C-alpha cells in the first residue's frame, strides 16, 4: 500500500512578527491550510490579521518561526477592488495575462471565463465607474482567480459592501470555492461571514495576535443561503463571539 502525502499549501509554525518600530504584531502562530480548505480569521482590530496575510503573500518576512508556501500562484483580494479606471472589466482582468506574457487570444478567453465565473458575462466592456460596488468586487475576484491560484488571500473583501450585496457575494464565493478548490485564507470582522464561508475559523487574541480558538465547520459545499438561519449556525457563531470577547 502506498501512502501519498501532500504538503499544505500554506504552513506557519510558531511564527512571531516584530516590526522595526518594536511592535510585536503576532506571536506563536501555527496554522496549516491545504487546497480545498477555506480558513477565516477573526480577531479584534490591530491583532495582526493583515500582517498574517502579508506574511503569507511574501510581502513581509517572519521574525521567528517558519512559513512555507507550496503554491505556484498566490492571489490577493483587498477590500478596495483596486481596478484601473481607464480599462474595461475585461481589460482589468486581462492585465494579469498581459503581465504573464500570454498570447492575446488566450488571455482574452481566460478573462471572459473568469468574468463569467463571477456572474459578469455581458459586462465585459463596462468600465469600473459604470459598475456597482458589488460588481467591482466581482471584477476584483475574477482578476484574482484568472491565474488559477492554489492559494487565495482575502483581506476583508466584502467589508465595504451593503449587507444584501455582501450576503450575495458570500453565497457566490463559496460556490466558486467549491468549483476551484484553492486554499483560502480570509480575513473578516463578520462572524457570520466567517461561519458561512469557512471550513475552519481561527479566532485571534488582541495584539500580539495568537490563535486562541480553531473551530471546524461541519457543512459541505455548496452551502444554501438558508444555512444562516439554522440553530447550529447560530450556536457556532455564538461560541466564536464569546471566544472573541474573552480574548480581546
Ligand atoms: P489588523 O489587520 O488585525 O487590524 P494589523 O496586522 O494591520 O492588524 O496590525 C497589527 C499591529 O501591527 C498594529 O499594532 C499595527 O499598528 C502594527 N503594524 C502593522 N504594520 C506595521 C508596520 N509596517 N510597521 C509597524 N507596525 C505595523
Amino acid at each position: 500500500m502506498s501512502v501519498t502525502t501532500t504538503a499544505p499549501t500554506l504552513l506557519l509554525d510558531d511564527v512571531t512578527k516584530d516590526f522595526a518600530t518594536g511592535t510585536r504584531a503576532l506571536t506563536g502562530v501555527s496554522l496549516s491550510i491545504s487546497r480545498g480548505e477555506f480558513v477565516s480569521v477573526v480577531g479584534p482590530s490591530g491583532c495582526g490579521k493583515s500582517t498574517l496575510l502579508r506574511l503569507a503573500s511574501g510581502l513581509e518576512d517572519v521574525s521567528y518561526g517558519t512559513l512555507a508556501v507550496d503554491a505556484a500562484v498566490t492571489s490577493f483580494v483587498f477590500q478596495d477592488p483596486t481596478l484601473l479606471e481607464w480599462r474595461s472589466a475585461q481589460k482589468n482582468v486581462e492585465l494579469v495575462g498581459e503581465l504573464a506574457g500570454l498570447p492575446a487570444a488566450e488571455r482574452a478567453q481566460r478573462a471572459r471565463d473568469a468574468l463569467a465565473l463571477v456572474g459578469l458575462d455581458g459586462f465585459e466592456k463596462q468600465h469600473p465607474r459604470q459598475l456597482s460596488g458589488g460588481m467591482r468586487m466581482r471584477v476584483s475576484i475574477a482578476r484574482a482567480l484568472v491565474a488559477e491560484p492554489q492559494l487565495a488571500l482575502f483581506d476583508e473583501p466584502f467589508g465595504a459592501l451593503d449587507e444584501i450585496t455582501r450576503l450575495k457575494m458570500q453565497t457566490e464565493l463559496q460556490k466558486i470555492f467549491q468549483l476551484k478548490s484553492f486554499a483560502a485564507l480570509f480575513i473578516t470582522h463578520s462572524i457570520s461571514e466567517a461561519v458561512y464561508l469557512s471550513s475552519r475559523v481561527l479566532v485571534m487574541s488582541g495584539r500580539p495576535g495568537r490563535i486562541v480558538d480553531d473551530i471546524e465547520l461541519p457543512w459541505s459545499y455548496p452551502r444554501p443561503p438558508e444555512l444562516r438561519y439554522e440553530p447550529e449556525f447560530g450556536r457556532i457563531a455564538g461560541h466564536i463571539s464569546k471566544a472573541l470577547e474573552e480574548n480581546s
Side-chain angles (χ1 to χ4, degrees):
M1 192 178 86
S2 71
V3 178
T4 318
T5 52
T6 30
T9 312
L10 174 66
L11 182 68
L12 277 79
D13 186 21
D14 203 11
V15 164
T16 290
K17 176 63 183 175
D18 293 333
F19 286 108
T21 51
T23 299
R24 173 157 290 185
L26 296 169
T27 188
V29 172
S30 298
L31 65 88
S32 161
I33 309 178
S34 297
R35 291 193 70 177
E37 278 193 293
F38 198 112
V39 176
S40 288
V41 178
V42 294
S45 285
C47 76
K49 300 183 294 299
S50 297
T51 301
L52 180 63
L53 274 191
R54 291 172 64 81
L55 291 173
S57 70
L59 286 169
E60 297 275 0
D61 292 324
V62 305
S63 306
Y64 304 101
T66 53
L67 180 148
V69 175
D70 183 21
V73 179
T74 298
S75 293
F76 214 127
V77 181
F78 305 93
Q79 182 170 329
D80 183 334
T82 60
L83 302 177
L84 300 176
E85 292 296 329
W86 61 92
R87 285 185 157 232
S88 65
Q90 168 81 18
K91 291 288 178 196
N92 264 283
V93 179
E94 267 192 47
L95 185 62
V96 178
E98 275 174 50
L99 295 174
L102 289 185
E106 185 180 345
R107 69 184 187 234
Q109 186 58 50
R110 285 193 189 198
R112 274 194 296 276
D113 291 347
L115 285 165
L117 183 72
V118 298
L120 281 183
D121 29 356
F123 291 90
E124 295 87 349
K125 293 201 168 81
Q126 306 286 314
H127 282 68
R129 66 177 172 281
Q130 299 170 298
L131 300 172
S132 68
M135 289 164 125
R136 285 197 292 273
M137 182 47 68
R138 285 169 200 264
V139 177
S140 173
I141 292 173
R143 184 184 52 193
L145 299 183
V146 72
E148 299 279 346
Q150 290 80 38
L151 177 61
L153 307 172
F154 298 89
D155 197 355
E156 275 217 77
F158 306 148
L161 301 177
D162 66 84
E163 189 62 14
I164 299 294
T165 307
R166 186 169 187 159
L167 295 177
K168 217 166 159 185
M169 297 298 295
Q170 292 168 8
T171 304
E172 291 183 13
L173 180 58
Q174 53 88 35
K175 282 190 199 152
I176 293 170
F177 168 69
Q178 192 211 6
L179 277 177
K180 296 292 177 183
S181 205
F182 39 79
L185 179 58
F186 189 97
I187 304 299
T188 178
H189 275 107
S190 162
I191 294 173
S192 66
E193 180 165 278
V195 174
Y196 178 71
L197 285 174
S198 311
S199 47
R200 270 163 60 212
V201 177
L202 307 177
V203 179
M204 288 182 73
S205 68
R207 186 165 62 83
R210 295 174 294 118
I211 295 171
V212 291
D213 209 344
D214 182 339
I215 299 112
E216 195 140 342
L217 285 313
W219 310 289
S220 57
Y221 298 91
R223 297 176 175 177
E226 300 74 33
L227 178 64
R228 299 181 178 95
Y229 313 127
E230 296 287 330
E232 180 70 350
F233 189 99
R235 195 191 62 73
I236 295 172
H239 171 91
I240 294 172
S241 177
K242 192 155 173 272
L244 267 174
E245 268 176 44
E246 286 170 357
N247 290 284
S248 291

